[in-house]
């Protein structure tokens, strides 16, 4: 499974972090999205479609952490 985390930064922007099953970083954005909705749109565009690797569809979990401390988790595929 691939895990996509969207987390707030100190400067009121959001970054996207992607890791594998073992917690190894696959990529990190440091662009700093102004709002969480924009970061979620990018994550959905990148990971919302099924990708077949070695005969199986790779599952992707999205976890969003809001500035309030609240979190939301869902499976994108």
């Amino acid at each position: 499974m691939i895990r996509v985390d969207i987390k707030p930064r100190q400067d009121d922007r959001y970054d996207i972090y992607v890791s594998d099953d073992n917690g190894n970083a696959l990529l990190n954005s440091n662009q700093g999205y102004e709002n969480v909705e924009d970061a979620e749109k990018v994550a959905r565009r990148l990971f919302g479609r099924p990708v077949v690797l070695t005969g199986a569809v790779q599952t992707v979990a999205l976890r969003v952490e809001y500035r309030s401390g609240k979190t939301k988790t869902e499976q994108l595929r």
Side-chain angles (χ1 to χ4, degrees):
M1 175 175 24
I2 295 172
R3 182 169 164 170
V4 180
D5 289 294
I6 298 174
K7 298 179 183 182
R9 299 187 332 191
Q10 297 266 337
D11 64 357
D12 292 334
R13 292 181 174 263
Y14 287 87
D15 280 334
I16 300 171
Y17 302 89
V18 181
S19 57
D20 66 10
D21 286 338
N22 299 320
N24 298 314
L26 299 175
L27 69 93
N28 296 332
S29 78
N30 58 4
Q31 176 176 339
Y33 296 91
E34 287 189 31
N35 59 62
V36 71
E37 293 83 9
D38 289 341
E40 284 188 64
K41 284 180 189 176
V42 169
R44 290 177 195 289
R45 284 184 181 166
L46 290 173
F47 298 102
R49 292 187 161 176
V51 175
V52 177
L53 298 173
T54 62
V57 174
Q58 188 72 22
T59 58
V60 178
L62 171 65
R63 182 176 179 273
V64 181
E65 181 181 325
Y66 299 93
R67 288 187 183 100
S68 66
K70 181 181 172 185
T71 62
K72 172 180 79 171
T73 304
E74 66 181 90
Q75 185 169 329
L76 292 181
R77 63 176 145 108

